[in-house]
Amino acid sequence: MISPKYHREIPQRYRLEAGKCKACGNISFPPRLVCPECGKTEFETIRLNEEGKLLTYTIIRVASDKFFGKTPFAVGIVELKDGVKVTTQIADVDFDKLKIGQKVKLVFRKIQDEGKSGLHCYGYKAILL
Ligand SMILES: [Zn+2]
């Protein structure tokens, strides 16, 4: 179960909300306080398009204790249509069918694991389209 604390800390991750800089249009995900492009601090909240393409991926065969018994699984970098890149697990996939450039979609999945740095904490995974 995901703790209420985790929910409070980063609710935007669950809704794919990003910050679009009002000055230069750069999109930060998760949202930041200061734009990494222009240094301004005014943002508009936008919901990211959940579709994108697979830039690269790897198959995790040996994982930390937390993910013991869940290997192998695929992790990839997905570039969403808004240009934002996210690192996420690729779910329900036959590894032989994975290829770079493939169209994928982020879907919300209930996550069992909790941690500060785990990929699984984001609450979504990519599936092939
Ligand atoms: Zn900016």
Side-chain angles (χ1 to χ4, degrees):
M1 201 183 128
I2 295 167
S3 73
K5 183 167 180 283
Y6 185 79
H7 267 280
R8 274 200 310 275
E9 280 176 354
I10 49 170
Q12 68 274 13
R13 289 189 193 270
Y14 291 86
R15 298 193 296 262
L16 285 180
E17 282 181 0
K20 184 174 183 180
C21 177
K22 286 186 177 176
C24 75
N26 182 66
I27 297 172
S28 297
F29 179 76
R32 300 181 188 211
L33 294 175
V34 177
C35 176
E37 286 297 315
C38 72
K40 297 279 173 47
T41 55
E42 281 196 64
F43 296 91
E44 170 191 355
T45 298
I46 62 163
R47 193 179 187 286
L48 295 172
N49 189 310
E50 68 274 9
E51 290 183 19
K53 67 178 179 190
L54 191 59
L55 290 186
T56 187
Y57 67 91
T58 188
I59 309 298
I60 308 291
R61 298 186 190 277
V62 180
S64 64
D65 290 350
K66 201 166 70 166
F67 303 121
F68 184 79
K70 294 183 180 174
T71 54
F73 58 87
V75 171
I77 298 176
V78 171
E79 185 179 50
L80 299 176
K81 285 185 174 172
D82 302 285
V84 171
K85 297 183 182 101
V86 294
T87 302
T88 186
Q89 186 174 341
I90 305 157
D92 309 335
V93 68
D94 181 347
F95 300 147
D96 294 338
K97 292 194 175 134
L98 275 173
K99 58 176 193 282
I100 287 167
Q102 221 158 13
K103 288 202 165 111
V104 296
K105 180 179 183 175
L106 297 183
V107 292
F108 186 85
R109 288 288 169 89
K110 191 176 264 185
I111 307 290
Q112 299 290 324
D113 306 292
E114 180 170 347
K116 291 290 179 197
S117 58
L119 298 167
H120 297 249
C121 294
Y122 283 30
Y124 56 78
K125 295 179 181 182
I127 55 168
L128 300 183
L129 280 179

